[in-house]
Amino acid sequence: MEKVMQELGKSLTDQDVNSLAAQHFESQQDLENKWSNELKQSTAIQKQEYQEWVIKLHQDLKNPNNSSLSEEIKVQPSQFRESVEANGRIYEEQRKLEESFTIHLGAQLKTMHNLRLLRADMLDFCKHKRNHRSGVKLHRLQTALSLYSTSLCGLVLLVDNRINSYSGIKRDFATVCQECTDFHFPRIEEQLQVVQQVVLYARTQRRSKLKESHDSGNRNGGSDDKAKNADRNYLNILPGEFYITRHSNLSEIHVAFHLCVDDNVKSGNITARDPAIMGLRNILKVCCTHDITTISIPLLLVHDMSEEMTIPWCLRRAELVFKCVKGFMMEMASWDGGISRTVQFLVPQSISEEMFYQLSNMLPQIFRVSSTLTLTSKH
């Protein structure tokens, strides 16, 4: 393409460039389709092999004399130490910042919660540490063991209004999901197709109700605008709405909440009634009803820093999210009866250490972390 562009206007015309570009696009599509089919075949084979292995394991474990498979699933202590030490080296290299707090919320009946502030990439909780093969196995085993527990882990991804995995953090997340075969849930593309069908049905129902109200004589400019918007955004979700994907093949995450946000979150004047904030409230409500006791939230409602995000902007945004999440957590006590939870607030890795510690000092002031009392005798 570079050579053709250099010869454009000399020995080649626009038609020649367009023809070559079409050939390039076609060959690229063929290559992507080829590897996509290879991936599907490999996934299907691995699922079948895994199913046969689980059934064989179940049958053999009934027979105490057969110890071959029992030895296969055991983890050697030396391998575990190697994995932990290598993971420790990775964490040191990445220089993750972390602060932890214990708080009590509630009036009469107080509930203890754990709060963490981290400077990290949101996808770090999804990626497997590939330093050692046993390390990946251990992470997958831990996730699988807790999959049907009452202590599930989730995270919030900020996405645009299109339900796909083709761009931005959606594509990065889908890439991580495809690194290991999910033996339990459908592939992320299949889950997104189901979400699209649900959104299509919901939009159809909403549009029919708008038309009914319009035809019944309740005519005004607002209803016309709503009907037009429903037609225009027929397959898109609105800011504040979210969809959920489930996973058994990620490192520390079972559930991903894909929260739709728009460019308004980059402005400095959002309020507690902003769709993104109300979306967080609804996500926490889902956590209460589905045993998700650990949730990771982007504190600044962005995954990457930009020029307009100054120090005052970060402080205002963090204060807003802290206060709103505190209010939502107090509401959660009435939703689930008061269950101890872990909320992780993540800030982008590009944020400075000074800014991180300013946010760290803000958190205990808003949540009023209980200080330790030292009791002494009068004597």
Side-chain angles (χ1 to χ4, degrees), residues 155-160 164 169-170 173-174 177 188 191-192 195 237 240-247 255-261 283:
L155 60 77
V156 178
L157 289 177
L158 305 175
V159 299
D160 57 31
N164 57 43
I169 195 168
K170 295 186 296 183
F173 178 72
C177 293
I188 185 170
Q191 295 192 49
L192 293 180
V195 173
I237 60 175
E241 295 180 337
F242 62 91
Y243 52 93
I244 299 172
T245 56
R246 301 167 296 167
H247 311 273
V255 179
F257 297 93
H258 305 255
L259 175 61
C260 176
V261 296
I283 287 173

Side-chain angles (χ1 to χ4, degrees), residues 176-369:
V176 175
C177 293
Q178 292 170 346
E179 288 182 355
C180 301
T181 300
D182 195 322
F183 297 123
H184 190 76
F185 295 110
R187 296 184 307 116
I188 185 170
E189 289 84 359
E190 296 176 11
Q191 295 192 49
L192 293 180
Q193 288 176 2
V194 174
V195 173
Q196 288 176 342
Q197 294 173 1
V198 173
V199 170
L200 179 62
Y201 176 78
R203 293 288 182 262
T204 303
Q205 294 293 103
R206 186 176 300 177
R207 188 178 66 165
S208 63
K209 290 182 179 179
L210 286 173
K211 285 187 175 180
E212 287 176 5
S213 62
H214 181 270
D215 295 337
S216 63
N218 298 328
R219 298 189 175 184
N220 55 61
S223 63
D224 290 341
D225 292 340
K226 288 182 179 178
K228 291 178 181 178
N229 289 333
D231 288 334
R232 186 164 54 246
N233 302 323
Y234 203 51
L235 284 174
N236 294 343
I237 60 175
L238 304 176
E241 295 180 337
F242 62 91
Y243 52 93
I244 299 172
T245 56
R246 301 167 296 167
H247 311 273
S248 69
N249 62 333
L250 301 181
S251 178
E252 304 174 39
I253 297 299
H254 305 101
V255 179
F257 297 93
H258 305 255
L259 175 61
C260 176
V261 296
D262 54 16
D263 290 338
N264 190 47
V265 295
K266 295 182 180 180
S267 66
N269 55 358
I270 70 170
T271 65
R273 304 299 298 177
D274 188 84
I277 298 293
M278 298 310 297
L280 285 180
R281 179 182 181 273
N282 293 329
I283 287 173
L284 291 176
K285 195 166 186 177
V286 172
C287 291
C288 289
T289 55
H290 291 80
D291 294 325
I292 301 172
T293 56
T294 300
I295 183 71
S296 301
I297 298 172
L299 176 61
L300 304 179
L301 300 181
V302 293
H303 291 308
D304 299 300
M305 302 297 292
S306 57
E307 293 181 357
E308 68 268 16
M309 299 172 189
T310 59
I311 292 178
W313 184 96
C314 293
L315 294 175
R316 287 196 306 270
R317 176 60 55 83
E319 181 181 9
L320 173 66
V321 175
F322 278 147
K323 288 182 177 179
C324 290
V325 170
K326 178 184 177 181
F328 301 154
M329 292 178 70
M330 295 179 72
E331 278 187 277
M332 291 164 73
S334 62
W335 296 337
D336 59 18
I339 296 178
S340 179
R341 299 185 183 278
T342 299
V343 179
Q344 301 186 137
F345 297 101
L346 271 65
V347 295
Q349 288 183 321
S350 57
I351 206 168
S352 66
E353 288 193 28
E354 180 184 359
M355 185 73 253
F356 176 85
Y357 289 115
Q358 286 189 48
L359 299 177
S360 175
N361 294 332
M362 179 191 298
L363 191 149
Q365 296 175 3
I366 293 176
F367 284 90
R368 296 182 181 178
V369 177

Side-chain angles (χ1 to χ4, degrees), residues 58-118:
H58 176 68
Q59 294 172 346
D60 290 347
L61 288 178
K62 291 181 179 179
N63 182 9
N65 297 325
N66 190 343
S67 60
S68 60
L69 281 175
S70 299
E71 293 296 328
E72 182 182 343
I73 63 175
K74 286 182 179 178
V75 178
Q76 299 299 326
S78 60
Q79 291 181 342
F80 182 77
R81 283 197 301 271
E82 289 175 6
S83 174
V84 172
E85 291 172 1
N87 277 336
R89 288 195 295 271
I90 288 179
Y91 285 128
E92 289 177 359
E93 291 172 3
Q94 291 180 345
R95 184 71 177 113
K96 288 188 176 180
L97 297 178
E98 176 181 340
E99 292 283 347
S100 298
F101 306 88
T102 300
I103 64 167
H104 293 82
L105 292 178
Q108 287 84 13
L109 181 62
K110 293 187 179 296
T111 306
M112 184 181 71
H113 303 279
N114 298 314
L115 303 181
R116 299 175 69 197
L117 179 66
L118 299 97

Side-chain angles (χ1 to χ4, degrees), residues 49-66:
E49 291 176 346
Y50 184 75
Q51 183 180 7
E52 294 172 356
W53 181 80
V54 170
I55 294 173
K56 190 172 187 297
L57 175 65
H58 176 68
Q59 294 172 346
D60 290 347
L61 288 178
K62 291 181 179 179
N63 182 9
N65 297 325
N66 190 343

